[in-house]
Amino acid sequence: MIEATNFIEEAINGDLEAGLADRVHTRFPPEPNGYLHIGHCKALTIDFGTARKYGGMCNLRMDDTNPTKEDTEYVDAIQKDIRWLGFDWDDRFFYGSDYFEQDYAFAVELIKKGLAYVCELTPEQFREYRGDLTHPAVSPYRDRPMEENLDLFARMRAGEFPEGKYTLRAKIDLASGNFWLRDPVLYRIKYAEHHRQGNKWCIYPTYDFAHPIQDALEGVTFSLCSLEFEIHRPLYNWVVEHVSVPTKPRQIEFARLNLTYTVMSKRYLRALVENGQVDGWDDPRMPTLCGMRRRGYPPEAILDFCQRIGVAKSDSLVDISLLEHCVREQLNRTAQRRVAILHPVKVIVENFPEGETAWFDLPNNPQDETAGKRRVAFTRELYIDADDFSLEPPPKFFRLKPGGEVRLMGAYLVKYTGCKTDDAGNVTEITVNADLETGCGNPADGRKVKGTIHWLSATESEETDIYLFDRLYTLENTGALPEGKTLDDYLNPASEQILKGCRVEKALADAVPGEQYQFVRTGYFTKDAKRDAFLQIVELKDKKPF
């Protein structure tokens, strides 16, 4: 027996031992009406990961039973994201719409058993007659004769009635304390072109009716889903008990992922895209998997994050810093080091010969000796970061300053000799003298130099734009909006900063999107797939909260 590490696996082990299941077969059923985000990632790692652990199977099924916002663009994107994370489904790829004929046949079966009826309540009446905890729901159409129900349902399929005229409802219990059992809707009329079925259908099954049937027809043994469906579980069980499906899957719920400063609603994310508030679904600030891929997040770090947060029975709010820590930890081991100057200011090494070049070897990754070294050019004109120089330094400022000396990382010691400023007092050029005897070593006289700063040759470097990112929202818990506020009130206007005229090592001109680099002393970055620029993946240290 597989050792259980969470309550889902404990339940699976119990069913296997009791003979209630003879294998582990799960499914991941995303709705193709948007791109997958980090919340879906938790669900799919549970679905695919559980099946993998038990040597079982996991189906990928597009829940395309609502045609209004579904599109093949999302179908393709979902498959790409799942494969990027390292999961596959072999030949077990399905669509919910594959089962429309069977769904319809099972609905007819329920009508014939006296367990479903055609209802004529309007949506407003439906809400009005739903009742409350002390009053049962009401439907004056509950006792329609079976033949009339069959006739009306067939005519609904034939397109004889307008939207909202009729619904097909299950006949369960109008007085149930679980409102999902108060004769829930199984079918509704909807005139919308389906991305695969075209205009073949004008009636569509609800998720609560179609999903258990799909699971059962595919041989799924464990239907793992988020906690919001716990109240739907009695309806799930009612459907598989009352239609003649070949198997009876078990539904088990787990807590969804809620992340600080992050929105997990596809509806809100779609609004950001459609309103032009972000640069598409793959905007690097978005919590979508395609956004994280574009930003340079390694899939291994995302899987590590999902493993660390575990599988819980109750909802909680996870700090986004944990995700960033997992990314940082992975990239610290694997990312090549490169030099980038985000706020360049020119430095003239007065005693270095004009037209000459010295070469210094810098490690590609100090964490990995096998990564080797690279050669970096040193010339008379250099760039350093403006933050590494101060004319009026604060206490304990160990970078370049008047009267001070610093080491240029991996190269010479240099001593300040002067600078030029513009009319606004901004430093435009710094002059230094280099101790040309030091090279990569220590000075012969044994003097100690505390500061080390990074640098680039002015002629042997490339100019580029660099994008820095902050949280997309300033509200820690976006699921708890203050009264009278909307999510738009908490959009962070400083979530994206574009730095122009940055300098990077010349070799980065050939950088490939998706490759990750540590810009020393700055953070982790990747080449953008859409623009000639570099994107910040994550800072070198934890971001401070707002």
Side-chain angles (χ1 to χ4, degrees):
M1 184 61 63
I2 300 292
E3 181 181 356
T5 58
N6 58 58
F7 74 92
I8 291 177
E9 293 171 3
E10 289 173 356
I12 289 173
N13 284 348
D15 281 8
L16 293 173
E17 289 176 357
L20 300 176
D22 58 1
R23 67 195 186 286
V24 175
H25 193 159
T26 63
R27 84 292 167 269
F28 178 60
E31 185 177 1
N33 63 351
Y35 284 71
L36 297 183
H37 55 59
I38 187 66
H40 298 115
C41 183
K42 176 183 177 181
L44 75 89
T45 56
I46 291 173
D47 290 325
F48 281 97
T50 301
R52 178 182 288 180
K53 180 173 181 177
Y54 281 85
M57 298 181 292
C58 182
N59 298 355
L60 175 59
R61 183 200 312 136
M62 298 296 151
D63 172 31
D64 60 343
T65 56
N66 182 357
T68 54
K69 292 186 180 295
E70 294 161 358
D71 196 280
T72 53
E73 171 193 353
Y74 303 131
V75 173
D76 296 340
I78 288 168
Q79 294 179 79
K80 182 177 180 180
D81 286 343
I82 297 173
R83 287 197 170 103
W84 176 62
L85 288 171
F87 298 110
D88 213 329
W89 48 88
D90 298 322
D91 59 347
R92 296 181 303 280
F93 178 64
F94 305 99
Y95 289 91
S97 56
D98 290 340
Y99 306 97
F100 278 172
E101 286 290 353
Q102 291 101 316
D103 295 335
Y104 182 82
F106 286 128
V108 169
E109 178 184 341
L110 288 177
I111 294 173
K112 291 180 177 179
K113 290 179 177 178
L115 295 175
Y117 61 95
V118 174
C119 182
E120 203 170 339
L121 291 178
T122 66
E124 294 76 20
Q125 290 172 326
F126 191 89
R127 287 189 291 270
E128 180 184 351
Y129 295 170
R130 199 178 188 194
D132 53 34
L133 291 176
T134 58
H135 298 86
V138 175
S139 174
Y141 307 100
R142 201 170 196 260
D143 296 322
R144 262 191 215 276
M146 178 187 69
E147 293 78 8
E148 185 179 348
N149 284 318
L150 290 172
D151 176 66
L152 286 172
F153 191 49
R155 293 167 64 192
M156 286 169 61
R157 176 176 180 172
E160 292 187 20
F161 309 114
E163 286 190 17
K165 174 65 174 176
Y166 291 112
T167 58
L168 182 72
R169 296 175 64 177
K171 187 184 289 187
I172 304 179
D173 182 3
L174 288 174
S176 175
N178 182 340
F179 279 60
W180 292 101
L181 295 179
R182 292 192 174 190
D183 290 10
V185 172
L186 306 181
Y187 266 88
R188 69 279 199 214
I189 302 171
K190 188 178 292 292
Y191 291 98
E193 185 171 347
H194 191 276
H195 73 105
R196 294 183 67 245
Q197 302 285 340
N199 293 309
K200 179 180 178 180
W201 292 87
C202 62
I203 57 171
Y204 290 92
T206 59
Y207 179 88
D208 281 332
F209 180 59
H211 189 72
I213 290 172
Q214 295 159 6
D215 285 348
L217 292 177
E218 291 176 11
V220 169
T221 54
F222 297 98
S223 182
L224 311 179
C225 56
S226 56
L227 199 61
E228 64 196 279
F229 290 101
E230 181 178 31
I231 197 169
H232 298 242
R233 191 195 325 143
L235 179 54
Y236 183 101
N237 294 336
W238 184 91
V239 172
V240 297
E241 287 290 338
H242 290 91
V243 298
S244 52
V245 288
T247 62
K248 300 190 187 318
R250 177 182 178 183
Q251 178 176 303
I252 304 174
E253 308 85 17
F254 55 85
R256 2 176 2 174
L257 170 61
N258 298 300
L259 206 57
T260 58
Y261 304 105
T262 307
V263 170
M264 295 294 192
S265 164
K266 275 194 289 188
R267 180 167 61 89
Y268 284 121
L269 297 179
R270 184 186 300 108
L272 291 176
V273 174
E274 293 176 350
N275 295 335
Q277 293 164 296
V278 294
D279 178 31
W281 286 95
D282 65 348
D283 187 296
R285 296 165 292 173
M286 290 279 272
T288 53
L289 294 182
C290 60
M292 292 180 177
R293 181 168 61 249
R294 178 181 171 192
R295 186 167 175 171
Y297 276 32
E300 300 87 351
I302 296 174
L303 295 175
D304 180 34
F305 168 72
C306 291
Q307 179 69 29
R308 292 191 191 206
I309 61 176
V311 181
K313 290 184 178 182
S314 56
D315 287 334
S316 61
L317 188 64
V318 179
D319 194 332
I320 194 173
S321 296
L322 177 59
L323 173 59
E324 294 168 340
H325 170 77
C326 292
V327 172
R328 193 179 295 112
E329 194 172 72
Q330 172 72 18
L331 293 181
N332 187 48
R333 295 191 297 267
T334 61
Q336 296 264 310
R337 272 49 169 177
R338 295 293 183 267
V339 177
I341 310 295
L342 273 56
H343 306 280
V345 61
K346 185 164 284 189
V347 172
I348 308 297
V349 185
E350 295 180 307
N351 63 330
F352 192 84
E354 258 188 90
E356 289 193 14
T357 302
W359 295 91
F360 292 94
D361 292 331
L362 296 180
N364 285 324
N365 187 337
Q367 305 290 322
D368 179 9
E369 293 183 2
T370 65
K373 296 183 178 182
R374 68 193 188 282
R375 305 197 78 197
V376 178
F378 185 99
T379 54
R380 178 182 172 86
E381 292 189 4
L382 307 173
Y383 286 111
I384 67 170
D385 198 286
D387 291 340
D388 284 334
F389 173 73
S390 177
L391 277 174
E392 299 178 358
K396 296 184 179 180
F397 184 84
F398 296 120
R399 287 163 281 174
L400 189 59
K401 58 188 175 182
E405 187 176 30
V406 297
R407 177 177 293 283
L408 298 180
M409 185 184 68
Y412 304 114
L413 296 177
V414 296
K415 185 175 290 187
Y416 171 85
T417 60
C419 72
K420 296 178 181 179
T421 60
D422 60 19
D423 293 340
N426 300 309
V427 176
T428 58
E429 186 177 286
I430 304 166
T431 54
V432 298
N433 271 333
D435 184 343
L436 300 178
E437 300 299 320
T438 53
C440 298
N442 294 315
D445 60 10
R447 69 186 186 277
K448 301 295 184 183
V449 176
K450 290 185 176 181
T452 298
I453 63 175
H454 56 292
W455 55 275
L456 282 174
S457 162
T459 55
E460 297 295 321
S461 62
E462 296 285 331
E463 184 174 311
T464 189
D465 295 343
I466 290 179
Y467 284 68
L468 304 180
F469 301 111
D470 205 335
R471 313 280 192 243
L472 187 55
Y473 290 92
T474 59
L475 183 65
E476 182 176 30
N477 185 359
T478 60
L481 283 172
E483 187 176 351
K485 294 289 188 178
T486 69
L487 283 169
D488 282 353
D489 293 322
Y490 296 96
L491 270 173
N492 181 9
S495 62
E496 179 180 83
Q497 180 184 3
I498 307 172
L499 304 181
K500 300 283 188 179
C502 304
R503 308 295 298 195
V504 295
E505 289 187 33
K506 208 172 187 66
L508 286 175
D510 300 323
V512 176
E515 290 179 344
Q516 300 105 343
Y517 300 94
Q518 183 193 109
F519 289 174
V520 293
R521 301 178 61 223
T522 303
Y524 296 95
F525 292 79
T526 190
K527 185 70 176 288
D528 191 8
K530 286 187 172 182
R531 299 171 291 222
D532 186 17
F534 284 87
L535 307 178
Q536 179 190 56
I537 304 172
V538 68
E539 294 178 322
L540 285 179
K541 58 184 179 180
D542 288 343
K543 185 185 298 291
K544 294 180 180 179
F546 290 102

Coordinates of all heavy atoms in Angstrom, one line a residue, residues 344-350 380-384 386 389 391 400 416-422 425-432 458:
P344 N 22.9 53.2 -15.4 CA 24.3 53.4 -15.7 C 24.8 54.8 -15.6 O 24.1 55.8 -16.0 CB 24.4 52.9 -17.2 CG 23.0 53.0 -17.7 CD 22.1 52.8 -16.6
V345 N 26.0 54.9 -15.1 CA 26.7 56.2 -15.1 C 28.1 55.9 -15.6 O 28.7 54.9 -15.2 CB 26.7 56.9 -13.7 CG1 27.4 56.0 -12.7 CG2 27.4 58.2 -13.8
K346 N 28.7 56.7 -16.5 CA 29.9 56.4 -17.1 C 31.1 56.7 -16.1 O 31.1 57.6 -15.3 CB 30.1 57.3 -18.4 CG 31.4 56.9 -19.1 CD 31.4 57.5 -20.5 CE 30.5 56.7 -21.4 NZ 30.6 57.0 -22.9
V347 N 32.1 55.8 -16.2 CA 33.3 55.9 -15.4 C 34.5 55.9 -16.3 O 34.6 55.0 -17.2 CB 33.4 54.7 -14.4 CG1 34.8 54.7 -13.7 CG2 32.3 54.8 -13.4
I348 N 35.4 56.8 -16.2 CA 36.7 56.8 -17.0 C 37.8 56.4 -16.1 O 38.0 57.0 -15.0 CB 37.0 58.3 -17.5 CG1 35.7 58.8 -18.2 CG2 38.2 58.2 -18.4 CD1 35.3 58.0 -19.5
V349 N 38.5 55.3 -16.5 CA 39.7 54.9 -15.7 C 40.9 55.6 -16.3 O 41.4 55.2 -17.4 CB 39.8 53.3 -15.8 CG1 41.0 52.9 -14.9 CG2 38.5 52.6 -15.4
E350 N 41.3 56.7 -15.7 CA 42.2 57.6 -16.3 C 43.6 57.0 -16.6 O 44.2 57.4 -17.5 CB 42.4 58.8 -15.3 CG 41.1 59.7 -15.2 CD 41.4 60.8 -14.2 OE1 41.8 60.6 -13.1 OE2 41.1 62.0 -14.7
R380 N 38.9 51.3 -20.9 CA 39.1 52.6 -20.2 C 37.7 53.2 -19.8 O 37.6 53.8 -18.7 CB 39.8 53.5 -21.2 CG 40.1 54.9 -20.6 CD 40.8 55.8 -21.6 NE 40.9 57.2 -21.2 CZ 41.9 57.7 -20.4 NH1 42.8 56.9 -19.9 NH2 41.9 59.0 -20.1
E381 N 36.7 53.1 -20.7 CA 35.4 53.6 -20.3 C 34.5 52.5 -19.9 O 34.3 51.5 -20.6 CB 34.8 54.3 -21.5 CG 35.5 55.6 -21.9 CD 34.7 56.4 -23.0 OE1 33.6 56.0 -23.4 OE2 35.3 57.4 -23.5
L382 N 33.9 52.7 -18.7 CA 33.1 51.7 -18.1 C 31.7 52.3 -17.7 O 31.5 53.5 -17.8 CB 33.7 51.1 -16.8 CG 35.1 50.6 -16.9 CD1 35.6 50.3 -15.4 CD2 35.2 49.4 -17.7
Y383 N 30.8 51.4 -17.3 CA 29.6 51.8 -16.6 C 29.5 51.2 -15.3 O 29.9 50.0 -15.1 CB 28.3 51.4 -17.4 CG 28.1 52.2 -18.7 CD1 28.3 51.7 -19.9 CD2 27.7 53.6 -18.6 CE1 28.0 52.4 -21.1 CE2 27.5 54.3 -19.7 CZ 27.7 53.7 -21.0 OH 27.5 54.5 -22.1
I384 N 29.1 51.9 -14.3 CA 28.7 51.4 -13.0 C 27.3 51.8 -12.7 O 26.7 52.7 -13.4 CB 29.6 51.7 -11.8 CG1 29.5 53.3 -11.5 CG2 31.1 51.3 -12.1 CD1 30.2 53.7 -10.2
A386 N 24.4 53.9 -10.8 CA 24.4 55.2 -10.1 C 24.3 55.0 -8.6 O 24.8 55.8 -7.8 CB 23.3 56.0 -10.7
F389 N 27.5 55.0 -6.3 CA 28.3 56.1 -6.1 C 27.5 57.2 -5.4 O 26.3 57.4 -5.6 CB 28.8 56.7 -7.4 CG 29.5 58.0 -7.3 CD1 30.8 58.1 -6.8 CD2 28.9 59.2 -7.7 CE1 31.5 59.3 -6.6 CE2 29.6 60.4 -7.5 CZ 30.9 60.4 -7.0
L391 N 28.2 61.4 -3.9 CA 29.0 62.5 -3.5 C 28.9 62.9 -2.1 O 29.9 63.4 -1.5 CB 28.6 63.7 -4.4 CG 29.1 63.8 -5.8 CD1 28.5 65.0 -6.5 CD2 30.7 64.0 -5.7
L400 N 31.6 53.4 -4.0 CA 32.5 54.4 -4.5 C 32.0 55.8 -4.0 O 30.8 56.2 -4.1 CB 32.5 54.4 -6.0 CG 33.6 55.3 -6.7 CD1 35.0 54.9 -6.2 CD2 33.5 55.3 -8.2
Y416 N 38.5 56.9 -6.4 CA 37.8 58.1 -6.9 C 38.8 59.2 -7.1 O 39.6 59.5 -6.2 CB 36.7 58.5 -6.0 CG 36.0 59.8 -6.3 CD1 35.0 59.8 -7.2 CD2 36.4 61.0 -5.7 CE1 34.3 61.0 -7.5 CE2 35.8 62.2 -6.0 CZ 34.8 62.2 -6.9 OH 34.1 63.4 -7.2
T417 N 38.7 59.9 -8.3 CA 39.5 61.1 -8.5 C 38.7 62.3 -8.8 O 39.1 63.5 -8.7 CB 40.5 60.9 -9.6 OG1 39.8 60.6 -10.8 CG2 41.5 59.7 -9.3
G418 N 37.4 62.1 -9.3 CA 36.6 63.3 -9.6 C 35.3 62.9 -10.3 O 35.1 61.7 -10.7
C419 N 34.5 63.9 -10.6 CA 33.2 63.6 -11.4 C 32.7 64.9 -12.0 O 33.1 66.0 -11.7 CB 32.2 63.0 -10.4 SG 31.4 64.3 -9.3
K420 N 31.8 64.7 -13.0 CA 31.1 65.8 -13.7 C 29.6 65.7 -13.3 O 29.1 64.6 -13.2 CB 31.3 65.7 -15.2 CG 32.7 65.9 -15.6 CD 32.8 65.8 -17.1 CE 34.2 65.9 -17.6 NZ 34.4 65.8 -19.1
T421 N 29.0 66.9 -13.2 CA 27.5 66.9 -13.0 C 26.8 67.8 -14.0 O 27.5 68.7 -14.6 CB 27.2 67.4 -11.6 OG1 27.7 68.7 -11.4 CG2 27.8 66.5 -10.5
D422 N 25.5 67.6 -14.2 CA 24.7 68.4 -15.0 C 24.2 69.6 -14.2 O 24.5 69.8 -13.1 CB 23.6 67.7 -15.8 CG 22.6 67.0 -14.8 OD1 22.6 67.5 -13.6 OD2 21.9 66.1 -15.2
G425 N 22.6 68.9 -11.0 CA 23.4 68.3 -10.0 C 23.5 66.8 -10.1 O 24.1 66.2 -9.2
N426 N 23.0 66.2 -11.2 CA 23.1 64.8 -11.4 C 24.5 64.4 -11.9 O 25.0 65.1 -12.8 CB 22.1 64.3 -12.4 CG 20.7 64.6 -11.9 OD1 20.3 64.2 -10.8 ND2 19.8 65.2 -12.8
V427 N 25.1 63.4 -11.4 CA 26.4 62.9 -11.8 C 26.3 62.3 -13.2 O 25.5 61.4 -13.4 CB 27.0 61.9 -10.8 CG1 28.3 61.4 -11.3 CG2 27.1 62.6 -9.4
T428 N 27.1 62.8 -14.1 CA 27.1 62.3 -15.5 C 28.3 61.5 -15.8 O 28.3 60.7 -16.8 CB 26.9 63.5 -16.5 OG1 28.0 64.4 -16.3 CG2 25.6 64.2 -16.2
E429 N 29.4 61.7 -15.1 CA 30.7 61.0 -15.4 C 31.5 61.0 -14.1 O 31.6 62.0 -13.4 CB 31.4 61.7 -16.5 CG 32.6 60.9 -17.0 CD 33.3 61.6 -18.2 OE1 32.7 61.5 -19.3 OE2 34.3 62.3 -18.1
I430 N 32.2 59.9 -13.9 CA 33.1 59.7 -12.7 C 34.4 59.3 -13.3 O 34.6 58.6 -14.2 CB 32.6 58.6 -11.8 CG1 31.1 58.9 -11.3 CG2 33.5 58.5 -10.6 CD1 30.4 57.7 -10.7
T431 N 35.5 59.9 -12.7 CA 36.8 59.5 -13.0 C 37.5 58.8 -11.8 O 37.3 59.1 -10.7 CB 37.7 60.7 -13.4 OG1 37.7 61.7 -12.4 CG2 37.2 61.3 -14.7
V432 N 38.3 57.8 -12.2 CA 39.0 56.9 -11.1 C 40.4 56.6 -11.6 O 40.6 56.7 -12.8 CB 38.2 55.6 -10.8 CG1 36.8 55.9 -10.3 CG2 38.1 54.8 -12.0
A458 N 32.0 50.1 -21.5 CA 31.1 50.9 -22.3 C 31.0 50.4 -23.7 O 29.9 50.6 -24.3 CB 31.5 52.4 -22.2

